C-alpha cells in the first residue's frame, strides 16, 4: 500500500463522481420535458393564465435558470457548480437550494436507511457465518433459514402488510409520519421516543427485507473459505474451534462482505425511496421521489449525485482500510 | 509514511462513523470492531440496537435544532385542534399570494387571506366579507362600486381600506405574472378609490360575470385582497415569499411549518369577530399534516388514520374507500351522510380531451366514434356501484345549470345527438367512413398508424376509472393504454397524441364559463403551450361568434339562453371533448372532535366542504367543538 | 478432473438423473427451490393452456368477487378474473426475469472472460467501467429512462431491456474474479503447457468448472430483474394494463384493497411474488454449494 495507491483511489472517486454527474445530467434530457413549463402548468391549474402569457413567463424563468443556454454550456455550468459544491436551486421548491433540501432530509435518511443497513449487515452476517460453520450446533445453524426465506419478500411489500396489520389493525405502532401529528419537536425524551416509535415499522420492513441477502452471501463466502488450505491447516494444527472461527474463517469471509456494504446502501436507497414515501417520512427518498414526479431536474441530479458520492466514498474508504483488516494486502 | 497513512485512515473512519450518526466516542474502536464483532454476535446486536436508538436521537436533535429557532409554541389540546391531511408540496415559507412561482391557496394559505365576498355554493348565497357591498352601478355592467367594511383590519392593526383594493386590482392589471391578469386586461378600464372605503371599477366592455368570477372567492377561483402597505413597499412582489409573519386579514397565523406539517393558530384579534360577522371560532389550532407524495397517493393509509381519529378530514376519496371508512367508524360522515354517493357534486366534471388540431383527432368522425365507445352505464355500474356519475356535460349540474339542461331546447338536442349513446357499430361505421381499416390486432389503422388512445391521467384520483375506459377503447379498436406518469399533465399542455382525463372547473351558475374554454382565442397552435382547461385547441369562427355575443349578456337574458343552446349543440355535434363523469368530492368528516361540517342537511356557512378550496376558511371557522 | 467424474459415473451405473436427485436430497435449499419453481412453472403452463387469457384484462368478469368455485382466486375492482391474471402475470414476470437474466449473464460472462483471460488494457477498461458504474444507484437511472418512453412502447420486452441495461456489471465482476482464480489453478497451466489454444482452454477446461458460477449468476440476475420490474411497477412505470404481478399488487394497494376488505386481490399475487423470489434465492444458494464441491464433504 503506497501513497500512489491512495491517490489512485481518490482519482477513481473523482471519475465515479464525474460519470454519475454526466449520466444524471444527460438522461433526464432524453425525455425532452421542460420542468419550468410543468411548474407553471401546475400553477396555472388554479389560475386563468392565457397561452401567450404562459409562454412569456416560461421564457423569462427558463432564462433565469439557464435552461435556454446550449446544452454543452449548461453541462459546463453544472460540472463547474459541482466542483464548487453548488448544486443549484430547486425548480419546484424555489427559492430553496438543492443542498438545503438534502440537508433537511439527510438526518431522517441517516437515521433510517443507514441504521437499517448496519443492523441488517450485522444480523445477516452473524447468522450467515454461523449457518455455514459446520461445527456450530444444528439449531443455531437453522436459525438462518427463515431469514433466507425473507429474502424473497421485497421490503415494500412487507411494509404494506406491516402497515395494515400491525399499525392499523393492532394499533401497535403509528401509521407513518415522522412523529405524531401536531407534536412540536423539542428536546424531551418523550419526543425522541415518539420519533423512535415512528421509525420502527419502516426499519423493520427494511431490515427483514434485506437481511436474507447478507445471510446468503456470508454463508456462501463461509462455505468457500472452509475449503481453503489455511483453514484446513488450522484444523490440523488443533486450534480450538472458536479460534478458527474467529481468526481464520470469519475474518477472511467478512472481507468481501465489507465491500458489499457500500453497495447494499445503494440498494437500500431503492427500497427507501418507496418506503419513506409510503410511511410519509421526510427523508432523502421522499425528496427524490417528489423530484422525479415533478421532474425537478436539479434536485434529481443533486440527490442522485449525493447518494453516488456517499456510496463511492464509502467504497474507496473500505478499500483503503482493507490493509488494516487484511495483512496480506499490506505489501 | 505508514504512521501518516494510519492517521489519515483513522480520520476517515471517524468521519464515516459520524456520517452514520453514531456517537463519536465509539469511533476509534471501529477498525477493531470488524474482528471483534463476531465473538458474541448477540451482544453485538444488542449494542447495535442501542446504537440505532442513539442515531435516531441524534437525528431527531438536528431536526429539533432547526425547529427551536422558530421559538416556543404553546400547547393546544387535541379537542381544540383540527387535523387535516393534505399533500403539501409548496415551498416552505411562501405565504404571499403574489409570490410567483410557489404560492398556492390549497395548502393552508387560504386561512390567511380573505376576499371582498365569498360565494357559498350550496346555499347559493353571496357572503359579503371585506366589502360590505359590491354592486354594478351602471345598467350595462360597465361600472362596479365596492364599499369596504370599516372594521376590517390586517393582522398588524392597519385597517383594510379602498387603497388595498385599488392596489390589488392594479397589480393584477399591470403584472402579467399574476393569474388574473388576463381577465383584468380584457375588462378593466380603471380602478379608483372614491374615498377611504369606496372603490369604483370602470370596465372597457360590459362585464356581467366579472364580479362573480373574479372578485368572489369560491372553489379555486377568484382573488383575495392583499396588503398594499406590505407589498407596495417592495421592488418585486413576485420574489417576496411572505414567510410566517406577513400581515394578513384571515383568522389564522402560521406558527410552524416544516416538511411534516404546517401549524396555524387562531388569531384572537381577528377583525371579523369584532365586526360581528362571525363568532369566535372553536378551532384554536389547525394542523395540516403533510401526506407527502403526489395528491391522492397512499389514500388507504389516510383512510386508516381517519378511522383511528388521528385526522379530522383529508382530501376526497374514491367511492369504495369512503364506503369502507363509514362502515368502520360511525362518527364519520360525509356531505351526503351515510348514503351514496357519499359526497357532493364538485365543479370539475371530467372529460376525455384530445388535441382537435392533431391528426387523426382533427377528424370529427374519429371523435364521434370515440364517444360512441364510452359505455357510461357500465362505468356507473363497475366504478360507482350503480350511482349516476357518468354524464355528458362540460359543467356540473348545479341548480342554474340543471335548469339550462332541462330546457326544451337542450332536451331536443339530446334527442338529436344522443351524446350518451354507446354504440360500437356506429363507431365502426364512422371509422370506416373516415378511411380506417381494422388491422390484424383488431385496431383501427390508417396509413399504418393506429389511433392512440393512451389516456393521460393522475393515479391518485383516476386510478379507478381510467383502466376501465382504456379497456372500452381497446375493445372498440382504439390503441389504448394508461399513462399515470409524471409527464401526463405536460402531455396535455403540449398537446401530444393521446387522450387527457381532465376536468373543466369553470361554470357554476350559467354555462358561459365552460363554453368559453373552447373559444378560439385560447386555441394554441400545434407545438405551443395550451392554457389549462384549453386542451382541445378547438377553433371554429361560428362558435366564437356565439360566445362573443354571449359575453356582455346577463345570464337571465333570453338571447343568452338561445345562444347557449347553440353552443351546446356545437359541443355535442363536434365532440369538442368527450364528457365522461361528473366529479364528486367524497370528503370524510370526522365528528369525534368537530361537528357542524357542511352537509346536505346542514349547510353551515353554505360552502362546499373542501378545506383546501378558497372557502375552506368558512368551513373551519364554522366548526363546533364536541366538548 | 472432468474425465475423472465421468469414469466414476460409469462405475456406479445410476443415471445422471438419479445422481441429480440424490444430490438434491443432500442439498435441501436447492431441492426446495427447485420444487417451488417447478410448482410455479406447472401452474403457469397448465394455466396458459387451459385459461382464457383475455379474462386477465378489465371488464371481463363481475368485479370485486371473493374467491368462489367460479372464480377460485376471486376478481378485482376492474373486473379481471384473478386466476387468469395470475397465470398471465406469472408468465410475463417470468419472461422479464429470464430475458433480462439471460442477457445480463451473457454480457457478464463474455466480458468477464475477456477481461480476466486476456488481461492487460482490455481488463482495466472493462473492470474500470464496471467499478465506476457500480456505485451509481441503478434504479434511479431506470426510473428516468422508463419515465421518458411513450406509454405504448412500454411492453414486457422494453421493461426487460430497461432492467438489463445496468444489470450486467455484477455478473461481469463475479465471472471475472472466478476466471482469474481458475487461470492460476494447475489444470489450466497444464493445459497451456500441453499446447492447447485459448478458446480450447476456455471452453474445454475453464467453462465446465465455471458452469455452477454462471448458473448461480444467471439465477441471481433473474432474481434482480424480477425485483427491479416489481419496483418499476410500484412507481407506476411498467406497462400498466398488463397483469404483471407487481402491477396487480400495486393496483390493489392503490385501490385500498385491504382496507376495503378485498384481501384476495393483493394477497395471492404477493404470495406468488414471494414464492418466485424465494425459490430463486434458494436455488442460488444451492448452486453456490454445488460450485464449491469441497464443502460437500462436510455435510
Amino acid at each position: 500500500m503506497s501513497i500512489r495507491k491512495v491517490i489512485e483511489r481518490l482519482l477513481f472517486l473523482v471519475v465515479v463522481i464525474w460519470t454519475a454527474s454526466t449520466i444524471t445530467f444527460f438522461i433526464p434530457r432524453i425525455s425532452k420535458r421542460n420542468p419550468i413549463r410543468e411548474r407553471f402548468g401546475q400553477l396555472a391549474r388554479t389560475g386563468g393564465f392565457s397561452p401567450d402569457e404562459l409562454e412569456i413567463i416560461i421564457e423569462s424563468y427558463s432564462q433565469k435558470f439557464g435552461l435556454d443556454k446550449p446544452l454543452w454550456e449548461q453541462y459546463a455550468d453544472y460540472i463547474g457548480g459541482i466542483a464548487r459544491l453548488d448544486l443549484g436551486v430547486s425548480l419546484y421548491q424555489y427559492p430553496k437550494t438543492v443542498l438545503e433540501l438534502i440537508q433537511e432530509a439527510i438526518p431522517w435518511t441517516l437515521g433510517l436507511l443507514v441504521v437499517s443497513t448496519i443492523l441488517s449487515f450485522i444480523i445477516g452476517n452473524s447468522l450467515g457465518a454461523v449457518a455455514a460453520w459446520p461445527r456450530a450446533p444444528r439449531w443455531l445453524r437453522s436459525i438462518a433459514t427463515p431469514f433466507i426465506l425473507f429474502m424473497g419478500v421485497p421490503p415494500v411489500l412487507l411494509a404494506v402488510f406491516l402497515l395494515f396489520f400491525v399499525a392499523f389493525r393492532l394499533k401497535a405502532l403509528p401509521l407513518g409520519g415522522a412523529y405524531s401529528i401536531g407534536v412540536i419537536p423539542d428536546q424531551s425524551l418523550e419526543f425522541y421516543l415518539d420519533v423512535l416509535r415512528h421509525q420502527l415499522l419502516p426499519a423493520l420492513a427494511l431490515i427483514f427485507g434485506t437481511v436474507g441477502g447478507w445471510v446468503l452471501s456470508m454463508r456462501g463466502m463461509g462455505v468457500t473459505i472452509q475449503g481453503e488450505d489455511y483453514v484446513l491447516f488450522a484444523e490440523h494444527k488443533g486450534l480450538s474451534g472458536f479460534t478458527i472461527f474467529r481468526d481464520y474463517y470469519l475474518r477472511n469471509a467478512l472481507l468481501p462482505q465489507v465491500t458489499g456494504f457500500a453497495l447494499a446502501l445503494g440498494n437500500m436507497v431503492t427500497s427507501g425511496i418507496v418506503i419513506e414515501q409510503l410511511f410519509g417520512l421526510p427523508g432523502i427518498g421522499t425528496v427524490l421521489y417528489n423530484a422525479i414526479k415533478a421532474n425537478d431536474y436539479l434536485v434529481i441530479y443533486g440527490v442522485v449525485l449525493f447518494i453516488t458520492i456517499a456510496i463511492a466514498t464509502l467504497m474507496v474508504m473500505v478499500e483503503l482500510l482493507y490493509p488494516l483488516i487484511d495483512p496480506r494486502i499490506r505489501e | 509514511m505508514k504512521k501518516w497513512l494510519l492517521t489519515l485512515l483513522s480520520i476517515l473512519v471517524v468521519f464515516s462513523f459520524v456520517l452514520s450518526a453514531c456517537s463519536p466516542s465509539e469511533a476509534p474502536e471501529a477498525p477493531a470492531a470488524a474482528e471483534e464483532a463476531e465473538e458474541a454476535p448477540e451482544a453485538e446486536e444488542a449494542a447495535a440496537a442501542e446504537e440505532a436508538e442513539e442515531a435516531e436521537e441524534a437525528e431527531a436533535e438536528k431536526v429539533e435544532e432547526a425547529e427551536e429557532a422558530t421559538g416556543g409554541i404553546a400547547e393546544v389540546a387535541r379537542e381544540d385542534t383540527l387535523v387535516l391531511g393534505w399533500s403539501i408540496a409548496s415551498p416552505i415559507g411562501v405565504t404571499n399570494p403574489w409570490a410567483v412561482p410557489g404560492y398556492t391557496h390549497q395548502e393552508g394559505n387560504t386561512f390567511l387571506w380573505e376576499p371582498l365576498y365569498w360565494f357559498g355554493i350550496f346555499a347559493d348565497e353571496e357572503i359579503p366579507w371585506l366589502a360590505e357591498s359590491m354592486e354594478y352601478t351602471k345598467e350595462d355592467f360597465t361600472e362596479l362600486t365596492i364599499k369596504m367594511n370599516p372594521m376590517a383590519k390586517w393582522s398588524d392593526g392597519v385597517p383594510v381600506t379602498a387603497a388595498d383594493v385599488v392596489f390589488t386590482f392594479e397589480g393584477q392589471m399591470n403584472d402579467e405574472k399574476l393569474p388574473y391578469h388576463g381577465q383584468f386586461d380584457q375588462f378593466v378600464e380603471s380602478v379608483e378609490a372614491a374615498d377611504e372605503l369606496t372603490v369604483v371599477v370602470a370596465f372597457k366592455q360590459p362585464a356581467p360575470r366579472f364580479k362573480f368570477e373574479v372578485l368572489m372567492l369560491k372553489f379555486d377561483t377568484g382573488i383575495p385582497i392583499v396588503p398594499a402597505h406590505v407589498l407596495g413597499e417592495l421592488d418585486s412582489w413576485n420574489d417576496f415569499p411572505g414567510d410566517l409573519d406577513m400581515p394578513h386579514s384571515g383568522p389564522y397565523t402560521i406558527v410552524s411549518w416544516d416538511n411534516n406539517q404546517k401549524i396555524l393558530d387562531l388569531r384572537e384579534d381577528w377583525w371579523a369577530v369584532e365586526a360581528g360577522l362571525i363568532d369566535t371560532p372553536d378551532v384554536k389550532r389547525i394542523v395540516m399534516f403533510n401526506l407527502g407524495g403526489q395528491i391522492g397517493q397512499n389514500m388507504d393509509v389516510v383512510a386508516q388514520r381517519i378511522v383511528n381519529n388521528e385526522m379530522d378530514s383529508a382530501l376526497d376519496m374514491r367511492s369504495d374507500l369512503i364506503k369502507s371508512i363509514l362502515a368502520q367508524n360511525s362518527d364519520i360522515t360525509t356531505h351526503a351522510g351515510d348514503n351514496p354517493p357519499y359526497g357532493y357534486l364538485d365543479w370539475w366534471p371530467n372529460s376525455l380531451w384530445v388535441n382537435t388540431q392533431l391528426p387523426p383527432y382533427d377528424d370529427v368522425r374519429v371523435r364521434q366514434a370515440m364517444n360512441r365507445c364510452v359505455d357510461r352505464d357500465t362505468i356507473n355500474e363497475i366504478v360507482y356501484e350503480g350511482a349516476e356519475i357518468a354524464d355528458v356535460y362540460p359543467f356540473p349540474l348545479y341548480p342554474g345549470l340543471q335548469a339550462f339542461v332541462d330546457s326544451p331546447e337542450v332536451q331536443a338536442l339530446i334527442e338529436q345527438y344522443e351524446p350518451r349513446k354507446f354504440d360500437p357499430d356506429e363507431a365502426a361505421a364512422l371509422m370506416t367512413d373516415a378511411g380506417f381499416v381494422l388491422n390484424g390486432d383488431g385496431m383501427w389503422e390508417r396509413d399504418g398508424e393506429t389511433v392512440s388512445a393512451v389516456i393521460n391521467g393522475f393515479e391518485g384520483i383516476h386510478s379507478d376509472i381510467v383502466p376501465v375506459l382504456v379497456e372500452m377503447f381497446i375493445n372498440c379498436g382504439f390503441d389504448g393504454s394508461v399513462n399515470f406518469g409524471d409527464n401526463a399533465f405536460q402531455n396535455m399542455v403540449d398537446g401530444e397524441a393521446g387522450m387527457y382525463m381532465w376536468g373543466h372547473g369553470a361554470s357554476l351558475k350559467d354555462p358561459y364559463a365552460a363554453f368559453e374554454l373552447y373559444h378560439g382565442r385560447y386555441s394554441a397552435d400545434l407545438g405551443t403551450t395550451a392554457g389549462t382547461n384549453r386542451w382541445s385547441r378547438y377553433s371554429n369562427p361560428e362558435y366564437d361568434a356565439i360566445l362573443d355575443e354571449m359575453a356582455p349578456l346577463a345570464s337571465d337574458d333570453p338571447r343568452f339562453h338561445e345562444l347557449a343552446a347553440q353552443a351546446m349543440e356545437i359541443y355535442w355535434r363536434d365532440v369538442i371533448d368527450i364528457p365522461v363523469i361528473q366529479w364528486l368530492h367524497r370528503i370524510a368528516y370526522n365528528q369525534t372532535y368537530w361537528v357542524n361540517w357542511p352537509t346536505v342537511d346542514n349547510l353551515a356557512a353554505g360552502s362546499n366542504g373542501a378545506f383546501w378550496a378558497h372557502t375552506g376558511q368558512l368551513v373551519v371557522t364554522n366548526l363546533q367543538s364536541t366538548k | 478432473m472432468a474425465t475423472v467424474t465421468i469414469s466414476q459415473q460409469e462405475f456406479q451405473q445410476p443415471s445422471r438423473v438419479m445422481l441429480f436427485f440424490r444430490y438434491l436430497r443432500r442439498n435441501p435449499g436447492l431441492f426446495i427451490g427447485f420444487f417451488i419453481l417447478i410448482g410455479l412453472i406447472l401452474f403457469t403452463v397448465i394455466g396458459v393452456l387451459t385459461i382464457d387469457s383475455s379474462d386477465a384484462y378489465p371488464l371481463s368478469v363481475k368485479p370485486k368477487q371473493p374467491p368462489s368455485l367460479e372464480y377460485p382466486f376471486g376478481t378485482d375492482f376492474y373486473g379481471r378474473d384473478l386466476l387468469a391474471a395470475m397465470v398471465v402475470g406469472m408468465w410475463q414476470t417470468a419472461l422479464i426475469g429470464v430475458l433480462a437474466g439471460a442477457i445480463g449473464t451473457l454480457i457478464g460472462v463474455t466480458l468477464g472472460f475477456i477481461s480476466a483471460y486476456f488481461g492487460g488494457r482490455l481488463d482495466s477498461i472493462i473492470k474500470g467501467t464496471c467499478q465506476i458504474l457500480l456505485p451509481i444507484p441503478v434504479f434511479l437511472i431506470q426510473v428516468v429512462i422508463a419515465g421518458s418512453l411513450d406509454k405504448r412502447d412500454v411492453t414486457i420486452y422494453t421493461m426487460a431491456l430497461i432492467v438489463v441495461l445496468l444489470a450486467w456489471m455484477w455478473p461481469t465482476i463475479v465471472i471475472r474474479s472466478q476466471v482469474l482464480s481458475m487461470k492460476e489453478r494447475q489444470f489450466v497451466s497444464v493445459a497451456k503447457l500441453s499446447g492447447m489454444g485459448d478458446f480450447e482452454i476456455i471452453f474445454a477446461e475453464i467453462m465446465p468448472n465455471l458452469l455452477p458460477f454462471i448458473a448461480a449468476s444467471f439465477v441471481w440476475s433473474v432474481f434482480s430483474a424480477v425485483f427491479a420490474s416489481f419496483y418499476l411497477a410500484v412507481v407506476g412505470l411498467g406497462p400498466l394494463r398488463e397483469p404483471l404481478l407487481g402491477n396487480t399488487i400495486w393496483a390493489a394497494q392503490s385501490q385500498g384493497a385491504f382496507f376495503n376488505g378485498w384481501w384476495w386481490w393483493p394477497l395471492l399475487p404477493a404470495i406468488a411474488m414471494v414464492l418466485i423470489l424465494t425459490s430463486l434465492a434458494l436455488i442460488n444458494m444451492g448452486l453456490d454449494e454445488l460450485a464449491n464441491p469441497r464443502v460437500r464433504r462436510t455435510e
Side-chain angles (χ1 to χ4, degrees), chain B residues 300 303-304 307 320-321 324-325 328 382 385 450 452 454 463-464 467-468 471-472 474 479 482-484 487, chain C residues 57-59 61 63-64 77-78 147 149-152 235-237 240-241 250 253-256 259-262:
Chain B
D300 69 323
Q304 292 163 17
V307 168
D320 285 287
L321 205 55
S324 301
I325 290 178
Q328 294 182 47
I382 290 212
E385 301 201 304
T450 57
S452 170
V454 175
S463 63
D464 52 350
V468 171
E471 215 55 32
M472 287 175 179
I474 289 178
D479 203 351
V482 182
N483 179 22
F484 286 150
N487 57 345
Chain C
Y57 296 92
L59 302 179
V61 293
K64 296 182 269 190
F77 177 87
Y78 304 105
L149 290 176
D150 181 329
K151 278 292 148 181
R152 283 185 296 171
V235 197
L237 291 174
L240 283 184
R241 179 174 174 257
W250 214 248
Q253 163 69 10
S254 60
Q255 292 304 318
F259 186 76
N260 288 331
W262 311 319

Side-chain angles (χ1 to χ4, degrees), chain B residues 308-429:
Chain B
N308 287 358
N309 300 332
E310 282 183 47
M311 286 183 198
D312 299 311
S313 188
L315 88 146
D316 58 305
M317 315 252 174
R318 303 306 102 220
S319 174
D320 285 287
L321 205 55
I322 196 96
K323 203 171 107 190
S324 301
I325 290 178
L326 293 172
Q328 294 182 47
N329 185 335
S330 59
D331 281 340
I332 296 170
T333 190
T334 68
H335 183 86
D338 289 349
N339 314 310
Y342 312 111
Y344 63 82
L345 194 59
D346 191 31
W347 73 326
W348 206 59
N350 274 217
S351 282
L352 282 169
W353 306 64
V354 290
N355 180 347
T356 59
Q357 295 183 19
L358 188 75
Y361 317 106
D362 59 343
D363 189 329
V364 66
R365 288 166 297 189
V366 173
R367 303 200 296 270
Q368 285 166 341
M370 287 180 128
N371 186 41
R372 289 285 177 253
C373 294
V374 178
D375 182 353
R376 291 175 177 82
D377 294 333
T378 301
I379 290 174
N380 283 341
E381 188 192 316
I382 290 212
V383 185
Y384 304 108
E385 301 201 304
E388 293 288 329
I389 308 293
D391 222 329
V392 292
Y393 307 101
F395 40 72
L397 295 182
Y398 290 138
L401 290 152
Q402 182 72 54
F404 170 66
V405 163
D406 289 342
S407 71
E409 292 82 3
V410 176
Q411 287 303 314
L413 292 174
I414 292 178
E415 204 126 303
Q416 187 185 346
Y417 291 99
E418 299 179 285
R420 200 187 162 91
K421 190 167 76 172
F422 167 64
D423 189 345
D425 295 334
E426 194 186 325

